[in-house]
Amino acid sequence: MSYLFKSITCPYCLKQLKSKDVTYVCSKNPTKTIPQSLMDNLFERTPVCNCPECLGRTAGLICNFCKESLPNGLFDYKKNMRFSIVGVPQSGKSNFLTTMMYELMNDNRLPFVFEPVSDDTKRMFQENVNHIYNPDYPEPVDKTEEHLEMPPPQLWKITDAHDLSKQSRDVYSLTFFDGAGEEYEKLNERVCRYLNGSKCLFILFDPLALPGVKNKVERNIYTWSGGTDTMIGQQNGGVIVSDIARYLRNNLHIKENAAINKEVAIVFSKIDAVKHTFAKGARVMQPSPHVTKKGFYVPDADAVNEEIKRWLIENNETAFLNAIHSNFNIEKVRFFGVSSFGQPPTGENQLARVTPHRVYDPLMWMLANEGIIPFVN
């Protein structure tokens, strides 16, 4: 099939794009347009730029609607996947996304190669890695201020490397929309667009924001992990869930009597800080088996899912579960526990050696749902 009939989704404005909706430009001089020949179209190839600076370099790609630069090979991707990450301020979204992608990039057990493909993504990712993985002074990513403009989506590429002898390999695009400390009463057209364009949602919750858990955590660990006395007031977990659900309903235009019908990973971050509140030998505190099982290992995920629900009830957070059930299609919801750092901070903005715990798990579930990796029983 030629580009003339192929369509893709712009990761920025989410418009459906065909060949006529993009402009090919010189990689060194984006103001110079590169025409696509009939042969380029018929053979599904991106034109090249033959100017002296490029010497046959593949042309750049620009969306005609939003004028954003797009990944050069976007038309070649087998599937475009879009996820949104939402959560209350200080739930650790940036730390989670950074450690998850860094560990995925550097795990030689995986038959996939993960790469950032936009300049913004490369810059943001490297800045965050320099904070968290600094060998001399590792520290959390700076808190994203609520009043700042929402950061651009993070654009990644996944290349299937199961068979390195193959001349042609499956390539997928992976786009993350990461809000900047959402203000739940404020609607934002860009946020609406991103949430509606995402098949799957990661919703991060800080377990330290749950009153039933907060009082069981050592004061220093609570403070160094980002807990504050003003973070929760007298709210219970049910109120926190309801606030996020209202935010999602408003942005997704969902009626009050309808369930939020997207695949949702309920991710409890900072699970290291509340390790002692789980039963001895809890599955969620054990290493993740998904990579060694070569897929999303359902028995482990089911055990963790039920374990976290029991943990909520044991810590007087039945209201949290009730709010999840009343707002979401529970058949599409899974609970996860992760730690971006692997252990609590050792001081104010100070980390010990970073060894992330189960940060892959939510994405592995999403990739299994997309058919990229198998469900394993």
Side-chain angles (χ1 to χ4, degrees):
M1 181 184 295
S2 74
Y3 285 159
L4 184 62
F5 303 105
K6 214 172 191 179
S7 66
I8 58 173
T9 301
C10 173
Y12 295 98
C13 66
L14 301 186
K15 297 276 191 182
Q16 287 295 115
L17 307 178
K18 292 188 177 180
S19 180
K20 64 182 178 62
D21 300 317
V22 300
T23 300
Y24 291 100
V25 297
C26 171
S27 297
K28 297 294 186 180
N29 179 13
T31 63
K32 178 184 175 182
T33 301
I34 307 299
Q36 186 183 27
S37 70
L38 177 61
M39 297 302 288
D40 288 333
N41 195 287
L42 288 175
F43 288 100
E44 298 188 5
R45 64 192 187 196
T46 303
V48 297
C49 180
N50 291 311
C51 72
E53 292 82 7
C54 288
L55 296 176
R57 183 192 298 265
T58 301
L61 190 64
I62 292 179
C63 172
N64 289 348
F65 294 105
C66 64
K67 308 304 179 184
E68 292 282 356
S69 295
L70 306 176
N72 285 8
L74 199 56
F75 276 108
D76 299 325
Y77 294 162
K78 184 175 181 180
K79 180 177 285 191
N80 296 284
M81 298 173 289
R82 297 180 298 278
F83 305 144
S84 284
I85 300 180
V86 299
V88 296
Q90 301 218 57
S91 57
K93 297 192 297 296
S94 296
N95 292 313
F96 166 66
L97 183 53
T98 301
T99 55
M100 176 177 67
M101 298 313 296
Y102 181 85
E103 297 297 318
L104 287 168
M105 287 179 69
N106 291 280
D107 193 331
N108 60 14
R109 299 173 300 167
L110 291 168
F112 296 96
V113 176
F114 292 79
E115 303 169 80
V117 293
S118 74
D119 290 339
D120 282 331
T121 301
K122 293 173 186 176
R123 176 185 53 78
M124 288 189 297
F125 177 68
Q126 193 56 54
E127 287 177 357
N128 291 346
V129 165
N130 290 344
H131 279 282
I132 297 172
Y133 290 93
N134 185 321
D136 299 318
Y137 192 83
E139 59 182 352
V141 174
D142 291 337
K143 177 187 173 185
T144 305
E145 299 297 334
E146 293 183 24
H147 66 275
L148 294 180
E149 183 181 354
M150 183 179 178
Q154 293 204 28
L155 309 185
W156 291 79
K157 178 175 76 172
I158 306 176
T159 303
D160 188 337
H162 279 89
D163 185 354
L164 296 177
S165 67
K166 290 173 63 176
Q167 294 298 307
S168 178
R169 298 166 188 168
D170 290 335
V171 180
Y172 309 90
S173 76
L174 182 64
T175 302
F176 289 105
F177 306 125
D178 176 12
E182 292 86 351
E183 299 176 61
Y184 296 114
E185 298 299 328
K186 182 179 178 181
L187 292 182
N188 179 297
E189 185 273 335
R190 188 177 176 192
V191 173
C192 291
R193 187 168 71 243
Y194 286 167
L195 288 175
N196 275 286
S198 295
K199 180 179 178 182
C200 310
L201 305 176
F202 292 75
I203 304 181
L204 260 67
F205 290 97
D206 184 350
L208 300 177
L210 303 178
V213 176
K214 169 194 171 183
N215 296 328
K216 298 179 181 179
V217 177
E218 182 183 331
R219 183 66 185 181
N220 279 346
I221 298 299
Y222 175 78
T223 302
W224 294 339
S225 298
T228 65
D229 290 331
T230 60
M231 185 167 67
I232 55 174
Q234 299 302 311
Q235 293 184 356
N236 62 27
V239 175
I240 298 172
V241 173
S242 296
D243 284 347
I244 290 181
R246 183 173 63 253
Y247 167 78
L248 292 172
R249 287 183 185 281
N250 289 341
N251 282 283
L252 294 170
H253 311 296
I254 297 175
K255 294 180 179 179
E256 286 295 321
N257 62 351
I260 298 171
N261 196 35
K262 286 183 179 283
E263 289 165 351
V264 176
I266 303 293
V267 182
F268 282 98
S269 59
K270 308 178 186 179
I271 204 77
D272 53 85
V274 297
K275 181 177 182 178
H276 64 285
T277 66
F278 280 83
K280 185 177 180 181
R283 183 72 68 93
V284 72
M285 297 303 170
Q286 305 305 313
S288 174
H290 300 297
V291 172
T292 55
K293 294 290 184 180
K294 302 185 185 306
F296 185 73
Y297 187 49
V298 177
D300 176 82
D302 286 347
V304 169
N305 192 63
E306 294 305 314
E307 198 169 70
I308 292 178
K309 289 194 283 188
R310 286 197 304 272
W311 172 76
L312 287 165
I313 294 171
E314 291 166 358
N315 285 281
N316 301 315
E317 285 295 344
T318 302
F320 185 104
L321 282 176
N322 290 341
I324 293 291
H325 279 262
S326 65
N327 286 287
F328 297 89
N329 179 351
I330 198 63
E331 297 298 320
K332 293 187 175 183
V333 172
R334 270 196 183 273
F335 290 83
F336 297 89
V338 308
S339 169
S340 298
F341 309 134
Q343 51 192 316
T346 55
E348 188 71 27
N349 290 322
Q350 296 178 20
L351 301 177
R353 181 173 175 268
V354 173
T355 54
H357 178 72
R358 284 188 175 266
V359 289
Y360 295 1
D361 292 14
L363 182 61
M364 297 286 274
W365 180 52
M366 302 294 191
L367 293 179
N369 286 331
E370 291 285 345
I372 311 300
I373 63 173
F375 287 101
V376 180
N377 289 290

